[in-house]
Amino acid sequence: MKHVKELKSHADRVKEATEFVHTRDLSQATYRLGYHLMAPSGWMNDPNGLIYYNNQYHAFYQHHPYDPTHGPMHWGHAISDDLVHWNHLPIALAPGDRCDQSGCFSGSAVDDNGVLTLLYTGHNVINRERDTFYQNQNVARSIDGIHFEKSSQNPVIPSQPDGMQHHFRDPKVWKENGSWKMVVGSIEDERGQVLLYQSDQLETWSYEGVLAKHNGGNEGYMWECPDFFPLGDEHVLLLSPQGIQTEGDRYQNHHQTGYFVGHYKKNQFERGPFKELDYGHDFYAVQTFLDGKNRRIAIGWMDMWESPMPSQKEGWAGAFTLPRELLLKNGHLYMKPVDELVALRETEIKLPSRNIANSWSLPLQGQKIELVLAINLSQTNAKRFGLKLAQAEDGSEETVLFFNAETKTVTLDRSRAGEGVTGKRTAPISWNDQLHIQLFLDRSSIEVFLNDGETVLTSRIYPRETSRGAELFTLNGDVQLEDSVGYVLKTVIA
């Protein structure tokens, strides 16, 4: 099947792709997630167009409906009333027009006087073997919030400013003092930067200059997926730099996601150092939005370029992280699971206060669980302790969360976490009187939130269905567990 047919209208291409993606039955797929948003089938990566619109949550995403590998990008579309239960709508955008011949790349969504409006990058390949292409920015609108029509004025920004390289993508748009503003990721002299634009009506944009750029250190050659917003008394620039070099335990992934905090005034952003946002193996391209409760909510792609993806043999790849509320404290971004996720809890299992030496098998099993644990560090003398999850009875499989009191670090070890995956990720953590652990396990994923979201680790794992055990262990000492709780979670993704 030829996926992009120039003679077909955009509406026909959308209809064809939507019908195709629903022909695959993934209900029995071994690694299919139970409560994370994922595409009905095929490939899924970056979040696009996250928006709270007409009292509903809309999540768009980069999507290749015809195959579980990256291909000509479409925009998938799902809606929710509560950030927990999601329903898929028809695919929103399909490539193949003169402005987006090779793909509808990432972007954002805004409410333009009641009209749901998408802004996205058109990707146009000139020579695939030589990796030559050009990128531009485009607009599509929907009256009903479901079916989208591309603007006749596309591309609304035909090219990057003179002298800059051809990587020019991922527009994020917001309203500021009555005008539209846009940030776009770009490159100059093989160094990442974020460009700033302004508009009165979304079809005509003026270039306002470079909002932020590489400082000459280890900050990468391309800054993808920028997102710029106020939080408290400061501004945050989220982005996903490509090309940052590994430094010890830092920057271990193929690409990174992180942020700058600083002050913004008159189109100028004075920023501090780059900080990682999530320390796990599989977190990228995070985007945020404001909801009806004035919360800044973030969702990322729960995978990573060049990572193993055993689910591809089942006809799918990629998922979103759980939604997370962002809070800024002393220049540090906290990410905590949104309160609505309590709706996932099906069975509660109390874990009463106890002193643990060597190991304790937790009285709950499964691959869809939540743990909320409190460790009293003032009464803990073990220098090393942790959790083993998705554990096989014979010990052949386990995902290990390991705490080191001497280095004040946490390590997520998936060396024996199932098919294809390996490697460890280590992050610094605060070490005070109490350690608070909240984690979510969902078949082929784990998300760990420490000390109310101060440190977060997200990774994909692929254990056998029979690997269901959970254990708290110590090395050379005791751990004092305070009253804690575990939950067996529901399946809400059909």
Short mmCIF file of all heavy atoms in Angstrom, two decimals, residues 8-69:
data_model
loop_
_atom_site.label_atom_id
_atom_site.label_comp_id
_atom_site.label_asym_id
_atom_site.label_seq_id
_atom_site.Cartn_x
_atom_site.Cartn_y
_atom_site.Cartn_z
N LYS A 8 -5.25 11.96 -3.63
CA LYS A 8 -6.34 11.89 -2.68
C LYS A 8 -6.39 13.17 -1.85
O LYS A 8 -5.38 13.78 -1.55
CB LYS A 8 -6.18 10.69 -1.76
CG LYS A 8 -6.43 9.36 -2.45
CD LYS A 8 -6.49 8.23 -1.43
CE LYS A 8 -6.87 6.92 -2.09
NZ LYS A 8 -7.00 5.83 -1.11
N SER A 9 -7.58 13.53 -1.43
CA SER A 9 -7.74 14.68 -0.57
C SER A 9 -7.22 14.35 0.83
O SER A 9 -7.05 13.18 1.18
CB SER A 9 -9.21 15.08 -0.48
OG SER A 9 -9.94 14.10 0.25
N HIS A 10 -6.99 15.40 1.62
CA HIS A 10 -6.57 15.18 3.00
C HIS A 10 -7.61 14.38 3.75
O HIS A 10 -7.28 13.45 4.50
CB HIS A 10 -6.32 16.51 3.70
CG HIS A 10 -5.91 16.37 5.12
ND1 HIS A 10 -6.69 16.77 6.17
CD2 HIS A 10 -4.78 15.84 5.67
CE1 HIS A 10 -6.09 16.51 7.32
NE2 HIS A 10 -4.92 15.94 7.04
N ALA A 11 -8.88 14.66 3.56
CA ALA A 11 -9.95 13.93 4.25
C ALA A 11 -9.93 12.45 3.88
O ALA A 11 -10.13 11.58 4.75
CB ALA A 11 -11.30 14.55 3.92
N ASP A 12 -9.66 12.14 2.62
CA ASP A 12 -9.60 10.74 2.19
C ASP A 12 -8.40 10.03 2.81
O ASP A 12 -8.50 8.87 3.22
CB ASP A 12 -9.53 10.65 0.67
CG ASP A 12 -10.85 10.97 0.01
OD1 ASP A 12 -11.89 10.90 0.69
OD2 ASP A 12 -10.84 11.32 -1.19
N ARG A 13 -7.27 10.72 2.89
CA ARG A 13 -6.08 10.11 3.49
C ARG A 13 -6.29 9.86 4.98
O ARG A 13 -5.86 8.84 5.52
CB ARG A 13 -4.86 10.99 3.25
CG ARG A 13 -4.27 10.83 1.86
CD ARG A 13 -3.04 11.71 1.66
NE ARG A 13 -3.42 12.98 1.06
CZ ARG A 13 -3.14 14.15 1.55
NH1 ARG A 13 -2.48 14.26 2.69
NH2 ARG A 13 -3.51 15.26 0.94
N VAL A 14 -6.94 10.80 5.66
CA VAL A 14 -7.26 10.61 7.07
C VAL A 14 -8.19 9.42 7.26
O VAL A 14 -7.98 8.58 8.14
CB VAL A 14 -7.89 11.90 7.64
CG1 VAL A 14 -8.58 11.63 8.97
CG2 VAL A 14 -6.83 12.98 7.81
N LYS A 15 -9.22 9.33 6.45
CA LYS A 15 -10.19 8.23 6.55
C LYS A 15 -9.51 6.89 6.31
O LYS A 15 -9.73 5.91 7.04
CB LYS A 15 -11.32 8.45 5.55
CG LYS A 15 -12.44 7.40 5.61
CD LYS A 15 -13.58 7.82 4.68
CE LYS A 15 -14.75 6.85 4.79
NZ LYS A 15 -14.43 5.53 4.20
N GLU A 16 -8.66 6.83 5.29
CA GLU A 16 -7.96 5.58 4.96
C GLU A 16 -7.06 5.14 6.10
O GLU A 16 -7.05 3.97 6.49
CB GLU A 16 -7.14 5.80 3.70
CG GLU A 16 -6.34 4.58 3.24
CD GLU A 16 -5.51 4.90 2.02
OE1 GLU A 16 -4.42 5.48 2.19
OE2 GLU A 16 -5.94 4.58 0.90
N ALA A 17 -6.29 6.09 6.68
CA ALA A 17 -5.38 5.75 7.77
C ALA A 17 -6.14 5.34 9.03
O ALA A 17 -5.75 4.39 9.73
CB ALA A 17 -4.47 6.93 8.07
N THR A 18 -7.24 6.03 9.33
CA THR A 18 -8.03 5.71 10.52
C THR A 18 -8.63 4.32 10.40
O THR A 18 -8.62 3.53 11.36
CB THR A 18 -9.15 6.75 10.71
OG1 THR A 18 -8.57 8.04 10.87
CG2 THR A 18 -9.99 6.42 11.93
N GLU A 19 -9.16 3.99 9.24
CA GLU A 19 -9.74 2.66 9.04
C GLU A 19 -8.68 1.57 9.13
O GLU A 19 -8.90 0.51 9.71
CB GLU A 19 -10.46 2.61 7.68
CG GLU A 19 -11.73 3.44 7.65
CD GLU A 19 -12.36 3.47 6.28
OE1 GLU A 19 -11.71 3.02 5.29
OE2 GLU A 19 -13.52 3.96 6.17
N PHE A 20 -7.50 1.85 8.60
CA PHE A 20 -6.44 0.85 8.60
C PHE A 20 -5.98 0.53 10.02
O PHE A 20 -5.81 -0.63 10.39
CB PHE A 20 -5.25 1.32 7.77
CG PHE A 20 -4.14 0.30 7.68
CD1 PHE A 20 -4.12 -0.62 6.65
CD2 PHE A 20 -3.13 0.25 8.62
CE1 PHE A 20 -3.10 -1.56 6.57
CE2 PHE A 20 -2.11 -0.69 8.56
CZ PHE A 20 -2.10 -1.61 7.51
N VAL A 21 -5.78 1.56 10.85
CA VAL A 21 -5.20 1.35 12.17
C VAL A 21 -6.13 0.52 13.04
O VAL A 21 -5.68 -0.18 13.97
CB VAL A 21 -4.86 2.71 12.83
CG1 VAL A 21 -6.09 3.38 13.40
CG2 VAL A 21 -3.81 2.54 13.90
N HIS A 22 -7.43 0.55 12.77
CA HIS A 22 -8.37 -0.21 13.60
C HIS A 22 -8.59 -1.63 13.09
O HIS A 22 -9.41 -2.36 13.65
CB HIS A 22 -9.70 0.54 13.68
CG HIS A 22 -9.62 1.77 14.54
ND1 HIS A 22 -9.59 1.71 15.91
CD2 HIS A 22 -9.55 3.09 14.22
CE1 HIS A 22 -9.51 2.93 16.40
NE2 HIS A 22 -9.48 3.78 15.41
N THR A 23 -7.86 -2.04 12.06
CA THR A 23 -7.98 -3.42 11.60
C THR A 23 -7.15 -4.39 12.43
O THR A 23 -7.31 -5.60 12.32
CB THR A 23 -7.56 -3.55 10.12
OG1 THR A 23 -6.15 -3.20 9.99
CG2 THR A 23 -8.40 -2.64 9.23
N ARG A 24 -6.23 -3.86 13.25
CA ARG A 24 -5.36 -4.71 14.06
C ARG A 24 -5.95 -4.93 15.44
O ARG A 24 -6.40 -3.99 16.09
CB ARG A 24 -3.96 -4.06 14.20
CG ARG A 24 -3.25 -3.81 12.89
CD ARG A 24 -2.87 -5.12 12.19
NE ARG A 24 -1.99 -5.92 12.99
CZ ARG A 24 -0.66 -5.83 12.98
NH1 ARG A 24 -0.08 -4.94 12.22
NH2 ARG A 24 0.07 -6.62 13.74
N ASP A 25 -5.98 -6.18 15.90
CA ASP A 25 -6.48 -6.51 17.24
C ASP A 25 -5.29 -6.76 18.15
O ASP A 25 -4.58 -7.76 18.01
CB ASP A 25 -7.37 -7.75 17.18
CG ASP A 25 -7.90 -8.14 18.55
OD1 ASP A 25 -7.75 -7.35 19.51
OD2 ASP A 25 -8.47 -9.25 18.67
N LEU A 26 -5.05 -5.84 19.09
CA LEU A 26 -3.92 -5.96 20.01
C LEU A 26 -4.36 -6.40 21.41
O LEU A 26 -3.56 -6.35 22.35
CB LEU A 26 -3.18 -4.63 20.11
CG LEU A 26 -2.59 -4.06 18.82
CD1 LEU A 26 -1.84 -2.78 19.14
CD2 LEU A 26 -1.69 -5.06 18.13
N SER A 27 -5.60 -6.83 21.55
CA SER A 27 -6.13 -7.12 22.88
C SER A 27 -5.36 -8.22 23.59
O SER A 27 -5.31 -8.26 24.83
CB SER A 27 -7.61 -7.48 22.80
OG SER A 27 -7.80 -8.62 21.99
N GLN A 28 -4.75 -9.12 22.84
CA GLN A 28 -4.01 -10.23 23.46
C GLN A 28 -2.49 -10.03 23.42
O GLN A 28 -1.74 -10.95 23.75
CB GLN A 28 -4.36 -11.55 22.74
CG GLN A 28 -5.85 -11.89 22.76
CD GLN A 28 -6.41 -11.94 24.16
OE1 GLN A 28 -5.84 -12.58 25.05
NE2 GLN A 28 -7.55 -11.29 24.37
N ALA A 29 -2.05 -8.84 23.04
CA ALA A 29 -0.61 -8.59 22.96
C ALA A 29 0.03 -8.68 24.35
O ALA A 29 -0.48 -8.13 25.33
CB ALA A 29 -0.35 -7.20 22.36
N THR A 30 1.14 -9.39 24.43
CA THR A 30 1.79 -9.66 25.72
C THR A 30 2.19 -8.39 26.44
O THR A 30 2.01 -8.27 27.65
CB THR A 30 3.04 -10.52 25.49
OG1 THR A 30 2.65 -11.76 24.87
CG2 THR A 30 3.75 -10.81 26.80
N TYR A 31 2.73 -7.41 25.72
CA TYR A 31 3.30 -6.24 26.36
C TYR A 31 2.36 -5.03 26.36
O TYR A 31 2.75 -3.95 26.78
CB TYR A 31 4.61 -5.86 25.68
CG TYR A 31 5.65 -6.95 25.73
CD1 TYR A 31 6.28 -7.42 24.57
CD2 TYR A 31 6.01 -7.54 26.94
CE1 TYR A 31 7.23 -8.42 24.63
CE2 TYR A 31 6.97 -8.54 27.00
CZ TYR A 31 7.58 -8.98 25.84
OH TYR A 31 8.52 -9.97 25.91
N ARG A 32 1.12 -5.22 25.90
CA ARG A 32 0.19 -4.10 25.81
C ARG A 32 -0.07 -3.52 27.19
O ARG A 32 -0.31 -4.24 28.16
CB ARG A 32 -1.12 -4.55 25.17
CG ARG A 32 -2.08 -3.41 24.91
CD ARG A 32 -3.24 -3.88 24.04
NE ARG A 32 -4.25 -2.84 23.86
CZ ARG A 32 -4.15 -1.83 23.03
NH1 ARG A 32 -3.06 -1.71 22.30
NH2 ARG A 32 -5.11 -0.94 22.91
N LEU A 33 -0.05 -2.20 27.27
CA LEU A 33 -0.23 -1.52 28.54
C LEU A 33 -1.70 -1.51 28.96
O LEU A 33 -2.60 -1.54 28.12
CB LEU A 33 0.29 -0.09 28.44
CG LEU A 33 1.81 -0.01 28.19
CD1 LEU A 33 2.18 1.29 27.52
CD2 LEU A 33 2.57 -0.18 29.48
N GLY A 34 -1.91 -1.43 30.28
CA GLY A 34 -3.26 -1.50 30.79
C GLY A 34 -3.90 -0.16 31.07
O GLY A 34 -5.13 -0.04 31.04
N TYR A 35 -3.10 0.88 31.37
CA TYR A 35 -3.70 2.17 31.72
C TYR A 35 -2.91 3.37 31.21
O TYR A 35 -3.15 4.50 31.63
CB TYR A 35 -3.91 2.28 33.23
CG TYR A 35 -2.69 2.00 34.09
CD1 TYR A 35 -1.76 3.00 34.36
CD2 TYR A 35 -2.48 0.74 34.66
CE1 TYR A 35 -0.65 2.76 35.16
CE2 TYR A 35 -1.38 0.49 35.47
CZ TYR A 35 -0.47 1.50 35.72
OH TYR A 35 0.63 1.26 36.51
N HIS A 36 -1.98 3.16 30.31
CA HIS A 36 -1.27 4.26 29.64
C HIS A 36 -1.85 4.47 28.25
O HIS A 36 -2.19 3.52 27.56
CB HIS A 36 0.22 3.94 29.50
CG HIS A 36 0.99 4.07 30.77
ND1 HIS A 36 0.94 3.14 31.77
CD2 HIS A 36 1.84 5.03 31.20
CE1 HIS A 36 1.74 3.51 32.77
NE2 HIS A 36 2.29 4.66 32.45
N LEU A 37 -1.91 5.74 27.84
CA LEU A 37 -2.41 6.04 26.51
C LEU A 37 -1.42 5.56 25.45
O LEU A 37 -0.23 5.88 25.51
CB LEU A 37 -2.64 7.55 26.36
CG LEU A 37 -3.12 8.02 24.98
CD1 LEU A 37 -4.43 7.35 24.60
CD2 LEU A 37 -3.27 9.53 24.96
N MET A 38 -1.92 4.79 24.50
CA MET A 38 -1.12 4.31 23.38
C MET A 38 -2.02 4.29 22.15
O MET A 38 -3.24 4.39 22.25
CB MET A 38 -0.57 2.91 23.68
CG MET A 38 -1.60 1.92 24.17
SD MET A 38 -0.92 0.32 24.67
CE MET A 38 -0.49 -0.36 23.08
N ALA A 39 -1.41 4.19 20.97
CA ALA A 39 -2.19 4.15 19.74
C ALA A 39 -2.93 2.82 19.63
O ALA A 39 -2.50 1.81 20.20
CB ALA A 39 -1.28 4.35 18.53
N PRO A 40 -4.04 2.76 18.89
CA PRO A 40 -4.73 1.48 18.70
C PRO A 40 -3.83 0.42 18.09
O PRO A 40 -3.95 -0.77 18.41
CB PRO A 40 -5.88 1.84 17.76
CG PRO A 40 -6.10 3.31 17.94
CD PRO A 40 -4.75 3.88 18.24
N SER A 41 -2.92 0.83 17.24
CA SER A 41 -1.88 -0.04 16.69
C SER A 41 -0.89 0.84 15.94
O SER A 41 -1.09 2.05 15.80
CB SER A 41 -2.47 -1.11 15.75
OG SER A 41 -3.00 -0.52 14.58
N GLY A 42 0.20 0.24 15.47
CA GLY A 42 1.20 1.01 14.74
C GLY A 42 2.16 1.74 15.66
O GLY A 42 2.28 1.45 16.85
N TRP A 43 2.85 2.69 15.08
CA TRP A 43 3.91 3.44 15.77
C TRP A 43 3.35 4.70 16.41
O TRP A 43 2.50 5.39 15.85
CB TRP A 43 4.99 3.83 14.76
CG TRP A 43 6.01 4.78 15.29
CD1 TRP A 43 5.93 6.15 15.29
CD2 TRP A 43 7.27 4.46 15.89
NE1 TRP A 43 7.07 6.70 15.85
CE2 TRP A 43 7.91 5.68 16.23
CE3 TRP A 43 7.93 3.27 16.17
CZ2 TRP A 43 9.15 5.74 16.83
CZ3 TRP A 43 9.18 3.32 16.77
CH2 TRP A 43 9.79 4.54 17.08
N MET A 44 3.89 5.05 17.60
CA MET A 44 3.51 6.27 18.30
C MET A 44 4.76 6.88 18.92
O MET A 44 5.55 6.18 19.54
CB MET A 44 2.51 5.93 19.40
CG MET A 44 2.09 7.07 20.31
SD MET A 44 1.10 6.40 21.68
CE MET A 44 0.35 7.88 22.32
N ASN A 45 4.96 8.20 18.75
CA ASN A 45 6.02 8.86 19.51
C ASN A 45 5.54 10.19 20.07
O ASN A 45 4.62 10.18 20.88
CB ASN A 45 7.35 8.94 18.74
CG ASN A 45 7.35 9.69 17.45
OD1 ASN A 45 6.75 9.26 16.46
ND2 ASN A 45 8.06 10.81 17.41
N ASP A 46 6.11 11.31 19.73
CA ASP A 46 5.95 12.56 20.48
C ASP A 46 4.49 12.93 20.78
O ASP A 46 3.64 12.86 19.89
CB ASP A 46 6.54 13.73 19.70
CG ASP A 46 8.01 13.59 19.43
OD1 ASP A 46 8.60 12.56 19.79
OD2 ASP A 46 8.58 14.53 18.84
N PRO A 47 4.22 13.43 22.00
CA PRO A 47 2.96 14.12 22.25
C PRO A 47 2.88 15.39 21.41
O PRO A 47 3.87 16.11 21.27
CB PRO A 47 3.02 14.47 23.74
CG PRO A 47 4.09 13.61 24.32
CD PRO A 47 5.06 13.37 23.21
N ASN A 48 1.72 15.65 20.84
CA ASN A 48 1.45 16.87 20.09
C ASN A 48 0.17 17.50 20.62
O ASN A 48 -0.72 16.79 21.08
CB ASN A 48 1.21 16.58 18.60
CG ASN A 48 2.35 15.87 17.93
OD1 ASN A 48 3.49 16.18 18.18
ND2 ASN A 48 2.02 14.92 17.07
N GLY A 49 0.05 18.79 20.53
CA GLY A 49 -1.25 19.42 20.70
C GLY A 49 -1.98 19.08 21.98
O GLY A 49 -3.21 18.91 21.96
N LEU A 50 -1.27 18.96 23.09
CA LEU A 50 -1.96 18.73 24.36
C LEU A 50 -2.74 19.98 24.73
O LEU A 50 -2.19 21.07 24.80
CB LEU A 50 -0.95 18.39 25.46
CG LEU A 50 0.00 17.22 25.18
CD1 LEU A 50 0.95 17.04 26.35
CD2 LEU A 50 -0.76 15.94 24.89
N ILE A 51 -4.03 19.81 25.00
CA ILE A 51 -4.86 20.99 25.28
C ILE A 51 -6.11 20.58 26.05
O ILE A 51 -6.65 19.48 25.86
CB ILE A 51 -5.26 21.71 23.96
CG1 ILE A 51 -5.94 23.05 24.24
CG2 ILE A 51 -6.12 20.82 23.09
CD1 ILE A 51 -6.18 23.90 22.99
N TYR A 52 -6.55 21.47 26.93
CA TYR A 52 -7.85 21.34 27.60
C TYR A 52 -8.81 22.25 26.85
O TYR A 52 -8.70 23.48 26.90
CB TYR A 52 -7.72 21.75 29.06
CG TYR A 52 -8.96 21.49 29.88
CD1 TYR A 52 -9.36 20.19 30.19
CD2 TYR A 52 -9.72 22.55 30.36
CE1 TYR A 52 -10.50 19.96 30.95
CE2 TYR A 52 -10.86 22.32 31.13
CZ TYR A 52 -11.24 21.03 31.41
OH TYR A 52 -12.37 20.79 32.17
N TYR A 53 -9.74 21.64 26.13
CA TYR A 53 -10.58 22.36 25.18
C TYR A 53 -12.03 21.91 25.35
O TYR A 53 -12.31 20.70 25.33
CB TYR A 53 -10.08 22.10 23.76
CG TYR A 53 -10.98 22.58 22.64
CD1 TYR A 53 -11.02 23.93 22.28
CD2 TYR A 53 -11.77 21.68 21.93
CE1 TYR A 53 -11.83 24.37 21.25
CE2 TYR A 53 -12.58 22.11 20.89
CZ TYR A 53 -12.61 23.45 20.55
OH TYR A 53 -13.41 23.89 19.53
N ASN A 54 -12.94 22.84 25.52
CA ASN A 54 -14.36 22.54 25.71
C ASN A 54 -14.56 21.49 26.81
O ASN A 54 -15.32 20.53 26.66
CB ASN A 54 -15.01 22.06 24.41
CG ASN A 54 -15.33 23.21 23.47
OD1 ASN A 54 -15.20 24.38 23.85
ND2 ASN A 54 -15.73 22.90 22.25
N ASN A 55 -13.86 21.69 27.93
CA ASN A 55 -14.00 20.85 29.11
C ASN A 55 -13.59 19.40 28.90
O ASN A 55 -14.04 18.50 29.61
CB ASN A 55 -15.44 20.90 29.65
CG ASN A 55 -15.86 22.29 30.06
OD1 ASN A 55 -15.12 23.01 30.73
ND2 ASN A 55 -17.05 22.70 29.62
N GLN A 56 -12.72 19.17 27.92
CA GLN A 56 -12.16 17.84 27.70
C GLN A 56 -10.66 17.97 27.45
O GLN A 56 -10.17 19.00 26.99
CB GLN A 56 -12.81 17.14 26.50
CG GLN A 56 -14.20 16.61 26.78
CD GLN A 56 -14.72 15.77 25.62
OE1 GLN A 56 -14.68 16.21 24.46
NE2 GLN A 56 -15.18 14.57 25.91
N TYR A 57 -9.95 16.88 27.76
CA TYR A 57 -8.53 16.80 27.49
C TYR A 57 -8.32 16.18 26.11
O TYR A 57 -8.84 15.11 25.81
CB TYR A 57 -7.83 15.94 28.55
CG TYR A 57 -7.92 16.50 29.94
CD1 TYR A 57 -8.92 16.06 30.82
CD2 TYR A 57 -7.02 17.47 30.38
CE1 TYR A 57 -9.01 16.57 32.10
CE2 TYR A 57 -7.12 17.99 31.67
CZ TYR A 57 -8.11 17.53 32.52
OH TYR A 57 -8.20 18.05 33.79
N HIS A 58 -7.56 16.88 25.27
CA HIS A 58 -7.22 16.37 23.94
C HIS A 58 -5.72 16.07 23.92
O HIS A 58 -4.90 16.91 24.32
CB HIS A 58 -7.53 17.40 22.85
CG HIS A 58 -8.99 17.58 22.60
ND1 HIS A 58 -9.60 17.16 21.44
CD2 HIS A 58 -9.97 18.14 23.37
CE1 HIS A 58 -10.89 17.46 21.50
NE2 HIS A 58 -11.13 18.05 22.66
N ALA A 59 -5.38 14.89 23.45
CA ALA A 59 -3.98 14.50 23.28
C ALA A 59 -3.78 14.03 21.85
O ALA A 59 -4.40 13.04 21.42
CB ALA A 59 -3.59 13.41 24.27
N PHE A 60 -2.96 14.74 21.11
CA PHE A 60 -2.55 14.32 19.78
C PHE A 60 -1.16 13.70 19.89
O PHE A 60 -0.44 13.93 20.86
CB PHE A 60 -2.53 15.51 18.82
CG PHE A 60 -3.87 16.20 18.67
CD1 PHE A 60 -4.26 17.17 19.58
CD2 PHE A 60 -4.72 15.89 17.63
CE1 PHE A 60 -5.48 17.83 19.45
CE2 PHE A 60 -5.94 16.53 17.48
CZ PHE A 60 -6.32 17.51 18.39
N TYR A 61 -0.78 12.92 18.89
CA TYR A 61 0.52 12.26 18.97
C TYR A 61 1.04 11.91 17.59
O TYR A 61 0.28 11.68 16.64
CB TYR A 61 0.43 10.99 19.84
CG TYR A 61 -0.66 10.02 19.44
CD1 TYR A 61 -0.43 9.00 18.51
CD2 TYR A 61 -1.93 10.11 20.01
CE1 TYR A 61 -1.43 8.11 18.17
CE2 TYR A 61 -2.94 9.23 19.67
CZ TYR A 61 -2.69 8.23 18.74
OH TYR A 61 -3.69 7.35 18.39
N GLN A 62 2.36 11.89 17.49
CA GLN A 62 3.03 11.43 16.27
C GLN A 62 2.72 9.95 16.06
O GLN A 62 2.86 9.14 16.98
CB GLN A 62 4.53 11.64 16.37
CG GLN A 62 4.97 13.10 16.33
CD GLN A 62 4.89 13.68 14.94
OE1 GLN A 62 5.80 13.57 14.14
NE2 GLN A 62 3.76 14.33 14.63
N HIS A 63 2.31 9.61 14.84
CA HIS A 63 1.71 8.29 14.62
C HIS A 63 2.00 7.82 13.20
O HIS A 63 1.83 8.58 12.23
CB HIS A 63 0.20 8.43 14.83
CG HIS A 63 -0.59 7.17 14.72
ND1 HIS A 63 -0.11 5.94 15.10
CD2 HIS A 63 -1.87 6.96 14.29
CE1 HIS A 63 -1.05 5.03 14.92
NE2 HIS A 63 -2.12 5.62 14.41
N HIS A 64 2.47 6.58 13.08
CA HIS A 64 2.54 5.91 11.79
C HIS A 64 1.56 4.75 11.83
O HIS A 64 1.85 3.69 12.38
CB HIS A 64 3.96 5.41 11.50
CG HIS A 64 4.12 4.84 10.12
ND1 HIS A 64 5.09 3.93 9.80
CD2 HIS A 64 3.42 5.05 8.99
CE1 HIS A 64 4.98 3.60 8.53
NE2 HIS A 64 3.98 4.27 8.01
N PRO A 65 0.38 4.92 11.27
CA PRO A 65 -0.67 3.90 11.44
C PRO A 65 -0.42 2.61 10.69
O PRO A 65 -0.96 1.57 11.07
CB PRO A 65 -1.92 4.61 10.91
CG PRO A 65 -1.42 5.67 10.00
CD PRO A 65 -0.10 6.11 10.55
N TYR A 66 0.42 2.66 9.66
CA TYR A 66 0.56 1.49 8.78
C TYR A 66 1.63 0.50 9.20
O TYR A 66 1.77 -0.55 8.60
CB TYR A 66 0.84 1.97 7.35
CG TYR A 66 -0.26 2.81 6.78
CD1 TYR A 66 -0.12 4.19 6.64
CD2 TYR A 66 -1.47 2.24 6.40
CE1 TYR A 66 -1.13 4.96 6.12
CE2 TYR A 66 -2.49 3.01 5.88
CZ TYR A 66 -2.32 4.37 5.74
OH TYR A 66 -3.34 5.13 5.23
N ASP A 67 2.40 0.84 10.25
CA ASP A 67 3.52 -0.03 10.61
C ASP A 67 3.99 0.34 12.02
O ASP A 67 3.90 1.51 12.40
CB ASP A 67 4.66 0.15 9.61
CG ASP A 67 5.68 -0.98 9.68
OD1 ASP A 67 5.43 -2.02 9.06
OD2 ASP A 67 6.71 -0.81 10.36
N PRO A 68 4.53 -0.62 12.79
CA PRO A 68 5.03 -0.30 14.13
C PRO A 68 6.45 0.25 14.14
O PRO A 68 7.16 0.16 15.14
CB PRO A 68 4.96 -1.65 14.85
CG PRO A 68 5.17 -2.66 13.77
CD PRO A 68 4.49 -2.09 12.55
N THR A 69 6.87 0.82 13.02
CA THR A 69 8.15 1.52 12.94
C THR A 69 7.90 2.95 12.49
O THR A 69 6.84 3.28 11.95
CB THR A 69 9.12 0.83 11.96
OG1 THR A 69 8.52 0.81 10.65
CG2 THR A 69 9.42 -0.60 12.40
#
